[in-house]
Amino acid sequence: MKHGITCRLTNKKPDFIEFCPNIKFTEAFNDSYKSLNSNIKIARKGNIVAYIKFVLLIIIGLFVILKSYYLLIEANTRDYSRSGYHYFKLAILVLFLGSAFVKLAFISLSNYTKPLRELKFEKKEIDIILRKYNKYNSTKL
């Protein structure tokens, strides 16, 4: 660190301000960029399945929550007897079950979108660098 930042090509202090006009991207960089693009394509293939799973779990969860509402009404129509208490306990249990389905729906959607978002962010950062050096090939994903 005695000399500060040095250029790997010339082993001297850089003589450029914003970017190096003689930059050379290694084959490993090119391979990792291609791998990143293919990983994004692979991650997107689960698109329809992830959203169908999300919708189904939401529908099931909302249906179960609605059922708990009817169980609460049933518990309320009973006198404060033992059966009313059992309906109330069952309604609360069913409500928690429905809430678990809704939470599971959002967790499963997040498990799909989070890795895809991270891959897209990484690709965006690399694309900014490639555009700066006019080495950008527009790869639509």
Side-chain angles (χ1 to χ4, degrees):
M1 292 307 290
K2 197 192 294 187
H3 302 289
I5 297 174
T6 59
C7 177
R8 287 186 129 182
L9 294 174
T10 61
N11 289 327
K12 295 179 183 174
K13 190 171 182 169
D15 59 352
F16 54 88
I17 295 174
E18 234 180 273
F19 61 91
C20 174
N22 299 325
I23 193 165
K24 295 177 185 171
F25 293 106
T26 63
E27 195 60 38
F29 173 81
N30 293 333
D31 291 342
S32 68
Y33 186 70
K34 288 176 187 175
S35 174
L36 178 64
N37 285 330
S38 67
N39 287 343
I40 291 173
K41 286 180 184 178
I42 290 169
R44 281 190 174 166
K45 284 187 179 180
N47 187 357
I48 293 173
V49 173
Y51 285 109
I52 288 174
K53 184 178 178 182
F54 172 75
V55 169
L56 286 177
L57 287 171
I58 287 288
I59 289 171
I60 291 170
L62 292 177
F63 177 76
V64 171
I65 290 171
L66 186 64
K67 184 64 176 171
S68 74
Y69 172 73
Y70 289 114
L71 287 171
L72 280 173
I73 290 175
E74 183 65 30
N76 195 29
T77 59
R78 307 277 174 152
D79 290 334
Y80 293 105
S81 64
R82 188 176 190 120
S83 66
Y85 176 70
H86 288 300
Y87 271 104
F88 180 75
K89 284 193 323 185
L90 183 62
I92 297 300
L93 182 66
V94 170
L95 178 67
F96 283 128
L97 182 67
S99 300
F101 273 106
V102 170
K103 183 176 180 179
L104 188 63
F106 282 102
I107 288 172
S108 70
L109 186 64
S110 176
N111 287 343
Y112 165 72
T113 57
K114 186 177 179 182
L116 183 61
R117 195 175 330 121
E118 289 171 356
L119 288 170
K120 284 182 177 180
F121 180 74
E122 187 177 338
K123 183 182 183 318
K124 185 178 178 182
E125 286 183 329
I126 294 172
D127 286 346
I128 289 170
I129 293 169
L130 291 176
R131 276 192 196 105
K132 186 180 277 190
Y133 289 103
N134 292 324
K135 305 275 187 189
Y136 181 71
N137 287 342
S138 179
T139 55
K140 294 286 182 186
L141 297 177

